[in-house]
Amino acid sequence: MISIIVPTYQEVKNLQPLSEMIQTALTEAGESSYEIIIMDDNSQDGSIEKVAELQAIHPIRIVTRTENRGLSPAVIDGFNEAQGDFVVVMDADLSHPASAIPKMVAQLRDGESDFVLGSRYVEGGSIDESWTLWRYINSVVATIPALPITRVKDPMSGFFAIRKADIPCSQNLSPIGYKIALEVMVKGDFPVVSEVPIHFVDRIHGESKLTLGEQLKYLRHLRRLYQYKFQTKAEFFQFAFVGASGFIVDLAFYLVLQMFGASHTVARAISFWPAVTWNWMLNRTITFSHREKTKKTTQWGAFATSSLLGFTVNYGTYYTLTKYVPFFTEHMILALIIGVLMGMGFNFSISNLFIFKK
Ligand code: GDD
């Protein structure tokens, strides 16, 4: 069965033409098993009565929401309502052609794709002739920053299809604003994402609710998705940066202690500890600031142990390469750099997985 989720707010005039458009498209394609789920934010415009009337002819029902309003939360609640193996999300305003649904679902059914987007910007897709240049520029400008986190040409689209079993767990979905398809695409990290061309038409009845406020929310949403997508890379760079600053602390203590009469071996053995403490403190407050704040002494102890082991990996790599690989006897600096990277990679993995808990 195909579950078609339609988020609505004051769309009473569109409910009948929408149901008819879906019925025509699906019956022509031989898809008789479907349900239309209207996820309505308590519109109070007669939508409930209209759906009751349409139920005589169409497999349609309405869920009235009164809390956590908004397009994206409505769709997420709709995922939990859906009974079908395939879920399609589309707008109510007839801007998304239901005729694309059979093709979108066929790609999921045949295993050709894991997430299918109705797309205006692939070959064969188009937008309403009535679009002004300003609206077009607006759409393109909004699209560009989303391209690095997706593999599609139309990441702003609100029309998509997915297998019910592949929907990311609702606790992992936290969109701000309108871009639910973008959220599901990024969080789902699907092996194959495809785009089916659509012709996007402007609504006839009612008004768009896409206000400036919603567009600003999109920027916050993007920031959140970038953090999600590139989190490990960003953490690694910050960890490396902190490590470099820790090296300066190490060196400073090493030199100052000798100025006060310590031997170089004693100075070296002592300078490690303020450097480790410095690194731990910065990683706790900057690199992994969003992680759980566990007990300081235990965490410091674990970090110092991991750093000592990291140093062993670092030195062991250097020693092995220069002793057993002839190339590195000529290129000791290279062996040293590889050792430092191996040690840092080890330290980062242990810190990321075990010390700074998620
Ligand atoms: N439940 C609920 N709650 N539904 C909402 C809400 C809300 O607060 N706001 C809007 N909707 C519903 C509308 O009733 C409609 O069915 C659908 O979400 C899209 O809303 P519109 O306000 O018509 O959006 P739009 O046409 O300007 O934007 C659409 O096209 C854009 C591409 O140009 C959306 O699909 C966008 O996500 C898309 O980027």
Side-chain angles (χ1 to χ4, degrees):
M1 178 160 80
I2 305 172
S3 297
I4 300 164
I5 298 173
V6 187
T8 59
Y9 186 64
Q10 302 200 321
E11 301 286 2
V12 66
K13 287 197 175 150
N14 285 316
L15 295 176
Q16 183 162 351
L18 176 77
S19 310
E20 286 165 1
M21 174 174 77
I22 292 172
Q23 186 188 44
T24 308
L26 295 197
T27 44
E28 267 177 16
E31 297 276 9
S32 53
S33 174
Y34 68 93
E35 58 172 352
I36 305 173
I37 310 168
I38 303 294
M39 299 301 297
D40 186 69
D41 277 7
N42 202 14
S43 296
Q44 310 259 0
D45 63 346
S47 289
I48 295 178
E49 295 74 13
K50 189 73 201 173
V51 169
E53 186 190 316
L54 289 169
Q55 276 174 334
I57 319 161
H58 301 279
I60 187 169
R61 63 193 156 101
I62 186 163
V63 176
T64 303
R65 306 174 69 251
T66 50
E67 283 168 21
N68 192 16
R69 287 157 174 247
L71 190 160
S72 295
V75 171
I76 293 172
D77 284 355
F79 288 153
N80 297 325
E81 292 284 335
Q83 302 293 315
D85 302 327
F86 303 101
V87 173
V88 173
V89 175
M90 68 191 295
D91 292 350
D93 56 5
L94 314 178
S95 57
H96 297 149
S99 54
I101 296 175
K103 194 170 175 193
M104 292 163 84
V105 170
Q107 291 198 0
L108 297 173
R109 198 178 271 137
D110 299 346
E112 266 175 58
S113 177
D114 303 297
F115 182 96
V116 189
L117 199 63
S119 175
R120 298 162 290 179
Y121 301 131
V122 285
E123 207 185 322
S126 53
I127 45 178
D128 206 294
E129 297 75 33
S130 67
W131 268 34
T132 58
L133 183 64
W134 170 243
R135 187 158 175 200
Y136 183 69
I137 291 172
N138 207 335
S139 169
V140 171
V141 168
T143 299
I144 292 168
L147 296 177
I149 48 173
T150 58
R151 287 160 283 164
V152 294
K153 293 211 165 86
D154 192 3
M156 300 295 96
S157 172
F159 187 23
F160 63 96
I162 183 173
R163 280 179 218 104
K164 169 102 198 270
D166 291 343
I167 295 174
C169 164
S170 50
Q171 277 102 329
N172 289 341
L173 297 173
S174 51
I176 316 172
Y178 258 42
K179 307 303 169 194
I180 181 66
L182 183 63
E183 173 79 11
V184 174
M185 238 186 307
V186 172
K187 298 280 172 76
D189 196 20
F190 303 103
V192 186
V193 175
S194 60
E195 289 176 272
V196 163
I198 59 160
H199 175 64
F200 183 95
V201 275
D202 254 344
R203 62 161 71 236
I204 299 168
H205 306 295
E207 282 174 4
S208 165
K209 289 98 198 170
L210 188 54
T211 55
L212 182 65
E214 286 295 340
Q215 289 179 326
L216 292 176
K217 280 188 195 161
Y218 167 59
L219 292 179
R220 286 172 43 218
H221 188 199
L222 261 185
R223 181 171 167 263
R224 197 180 271 189
L225 289 176
Y226 264 82
Q227 268 172 351
Y228 175 85
K229 186 93 182 173
F230 300 117
Q231 193 171 43
T232 309
K233 278 191 199 128
E235 283 169 353
F236 183 77
F237 280 115
Q238 290 178 70
F239 193 84
F241 212 70
V242 167
S245 73
F247 172 71
I248 296 169
V249 174
D250 203 337
L251 193 65
F253 271 83
Y254 173 70
L255 296 174
V256 170
L257 285 167
Q258 287 183 76
M259 275 164 55
F260 283 95
S263 71
H264 76 97
T265 45
V266 169
R268 182 70 197 91
I270 295 177
S271 65
F272 173 79
W273 299 98
V276 155
T277 307
W278 169 268
N279 286 356
W280 163 75
M281 212 168 61
L282 291 195
N283 282 323
R284 182 178 168 102
T285 50
I286 299 173
T287 318
F288 299 114
S289 61
H290 48 288
R291 303 280 180 98
E292 200 186 309
K293 292 276 176 274
T294 50
K295 201 172 165 213
K296 285 182 182 162
T297 42
T298 326
Q299 196 183 53
W300 179 85
F303 187 78
T305 310
S306 154
S307 300
L308 280 170
L309 289 173
F311 181 74
T312 314
V313 171
N314 174 345
Y315 184 75
T317 307
Y318 174 80
Y319 182 83
T320 313
L321 290 178
T322 52
K323 190 162 170 71
Y324 299 109
V325 185
F327 171 80
F328 287 105
T329 50
E330 299 289 316
H331 302 89
M332 289 188 182
I333 290 287
L334 203 58
L336 183 138
I337 293 171
I338 295 175
V340 168
L341 290 177
M342 294 290 286
M344 201 169 71
F346 173 86
N347 259 347
F348 176 74
S349 308
I350 300 293
S351 286
N352 183 30
L353 295 174
F354 305 113
I355 301 177
F356 297 93
K357 296 207 171 68
K358 290 189 184 175

